[in-house]
Amino acid sequence: MREARLDALVLFQPEAFQYAIGAPAGVATMWGRAGAAIALVPGDAHLPLGAIVSDHAAPIVQQKASHIDLRTHRIWIDAVDLSGVDAVAGVDSAYRRSAAVGPRPETFNRAACFHLLSDLLKDRGLKGGRIGVDLEFMPAADFEALKVLITDVQWVDGSLVLRRLRSVKTSVEIERLRRAAHAAEGGLERMVQAVRPDASVAELSTAWKAGAHDTARAGGFALSGHWDFISVGPNLSDGDAKITPDALIKADVGTLVEGYSSDGARTFTFGRASQLAQDIFNALEAAFDAGLEQIKPGHTFGKVHDAMLRSMRRDGFGEYYRGHFGHSVGGGAGIEEWPFFSANNSERIETDMVVALEAPFYGQNFGALMIEDQFLVTQNGTECMNRLPRGLHDLSRHRD
């Protein structure tokens, strides 16, 4: 923040709010509009964090982050503490005791939230300051309203600062990503058991999900979400495809633990792979290894892309182009997150980043091949969070 000359960050994205405050932003953020939850991160590390949340979300924020300077606003959800009340006649008195009186907005009152932010900035001595906003998230209409209501600060884009903060993980974030990768691989092991002639993509997906949830429960944690991109056979867009002899099976999957998503992929065959499929996969393996060798602190993300593309060229793929060969994970709402292993990306790899390295090939009327693992960047290189072998495995050999 000092390098960017920011006096504070004001964050509106629900995932960024939870990252900064350590508590969920609440249900009022469901519309994707800015204001229902706002985090204030002062540039002065001696100043406490500030938060603006709904009266509905306030109790969980107070529980999880009691040190936060918390301001609350009213939303549409009507609630009251009825302790000691045993008749309707006492309900109104309960409302008055809790100060939960008066009309509520249709959803939330954006102007009221921005006025609370103005007060918070004033109390912190930040009026007149240079304040970064996560503009990559914030709707343009909401940003215009913010500038109209709070005119005595300099609003600038703080998205890059937030990206860089989030790309280097804390120990808590690293553990969440380890668990997510472990659960996803448990799901792949279950999916493999479901592979048989005529098994559909939907059946494989169902088996994967069940295995991922069972693995998480066995590990003493729960999943907050999951996703999968499973393809079977030569038609890449056929969601109703079924397993036939010699079919390629690609599973690109991830699970979420407390909002942090893993990302990994394996490719299988049901029968002997064609010579072309084997040759392509061998090239992907070589490219993957070449890229992995470059994932070291101080190297650029672009250097990884360059090494992998040069490897594919050496193996005869002169027209193969890939926009990126992987990305950071666990930094935001999406699966694939900045920084990317893309051409000429000058962003530096740092210790405690968690990244997914991927080497894919998609051929319509052929099938999909992919290798992807998740790595923690260490002082000396990388630590793989996956354990399943990366080879192209024939699953028909394990069937009667």
Side-chain angles (χ1 to χ4, degrees):
M1 292 172 70
R2 281 194 298 270
E3 290 175 3
R5 297 184 295 111
L6 296 181
D7 297 303
L9 279 171
V10 172
L11 306 176
F12 294 91
Q13 184 190 44
E15 292 80 11
F17 176 93
Q18 182 160 354
Y19 169 74
I21 302 302
V27 69
T29 61
M30 72 170 72
W31 291 279
R33 301 302 300 270
I38 308 172
L40 172 66
V41 183
D44 184 346
H46 297 95
L47 294 176
L49 299 171
I52 296 164
V53 297
S54 71
D55 52 355
H56 182 264
I60 189 66
V61 175
Q62 290 171 329
Q63 176 188 339
K64 290 182 172 290
S66 58
H67 59 289
I68 300 296
D69 182 356
L70 186 64
R71 316 288 171 97
T72 62
H73 62 94
R74 293 163 66 81
I75 60 172
W76 77 99
I77 301 173
D78 184 271
V80 64
D81 184 354
L82 293 182
S83 299
V85 176
D86 56 8
V88 171
V91 173
D92 282 352
S93 295
Y95 273 105
R96 288 189 287 269
R97 284 197 303 272
S98 64
V101 292
R104 289 183 173 273
E106 180 181 60
T107 54
F108 72 94
N109 186 322
R110 183 184 65 185
C113 298
F114 288 171
H115 282 303
L116 288 172
L117 175 60
S118 180
D119 292 341
L120 186 57
L121 292 171
K122 180 180 179 181
D123 292 347
R124 296 298 180 81
L126 290 168
K127 287 300 182 74
R130 179 178 162 88
I131 311 297
V133 179
D134 49 347
L135 290 184
E136 286 186 337
F137 162 78
M138 194 173 193
D142 294 334
F143 187 51
E144 290 302 314
L146 177 69
K147 291 188 292 184
V148 168
L149 284 171
I150 306 179
T151 60
D152 45 4
V153 301
Q154 181 185 359
W155 298 110
V156 298
D157 190 2
S159 301
L160 182 58
V161 173
L162 178 61
R163 280 181 168 196
R164 285 179 165 155
L165 284 168
R166 298 223 59 185
S167 66
V168 178
K169 304 299 188 292
T170 66
S171 59
V172 171
E173 293 176 300
I174 291 168
E175 180 58 27
R176 289 172 182 170
L177 289 165
R178 284 189 197 281
R179 290 181 170 185
H182 177 62
E185 288 201 318
L188 284 177
E189 291 175 320
R190 183 73 60 83
M191 187 201 79
V192 164
Q193 297 172 12
V195 172
R196 54 174 173 74
D198 292 326
S200 66
V201 171
E203 289 174 304
L204 299 186
S205 177
T206 297
W208 175 78
K209 292 171 188 173
H213 280 285
D214 287 348
T215 301
R217 280 191 290 268
F221 60 96
L223 302 182
S224 60
H226 49 71
W227 57 268
D228 65 86
F229 297 105
I230 298 173
S231 68
V232 172
N235 187 342
L236 301 179
S237 59
D238 186 3
D240 298 319
K242 296 183 178 182
I243 293 175
T244 57
D246 303 331
L248 290 174
I249 305 163
K250 183 269 296 179
D252 185 4
V253 297
T255 71
L256 282 73
V257 174
E258 298 186 56
Y260 286 74
S261 178
S262 67
D263 193 2
R266 289 293 183 269
T267 309
F268 310 95
T269 65
F270 192 74
R272 184 175 181 180
S274 69
Q275 188 60 55
L276 177 58
Q278 190 61 65
D279 289 344
I280 293 173
F281 194 83
N282 290 344
L284 294 177
E285 284 188 305
F288 188 94
D289 291 341
L292 182 57
E293 177 64 27
Q294 299 302 322
I295 302 180
K296 298 176 181 177
H299 286 195
T300 67
F301 277 76
K303 189 171 186 178
V304 176
H305 183 276
D306 179 63
M308 296 180 73
L309 198 58
R310 283 190 290 108
S311 178
M312 293 297 290
R313 296 286 181 267
R314 287 194 297 270
D315 282 326
F317 295 85
E319 294 298 329
Y320 174 90
Y321 285 93
R322 176 76 182 170
H324 70 258
F325 285 106
H327 45 84
S328 178
V329 292
I335 300 166
E336 297 193 351
E337 297 159 3
W338 182 94
F340 291 88
F341 294 117
S342 55
N344 304 315
N345 186 345
S346 61
E347 196 68 24
R348 296 284 175 180
I349 297 169
E350 296 186 49
T351 301
D352 289 336
M353 285 182 168
V354 180
V355 297
L357 183 69
E358 60 187 28
F361 185 94
Y362 302 107
Q364 186 61 26
N365 299 314
F366 172 77
L369 297 160
M370 189 171 186
I371 309 166
E372 185 172 24
D373 271 345
Q374 187 169 295
F375 296 92
L376 170 66
V377 180
T378 67
Q379 290 182 347
N380 300 316
T382 59
E383 174 193 323
C384 187
M385 291 185 173
N386 302 88
R387 53 186 175 78
L388 295 182
R390 299 181 189 132
L392 184 60
H393 298 287
D394 179 2
L395 299 181
S396 68
R397 297 180 181 181
H398 304 288
R399 300 294 183 268
D400 293 333

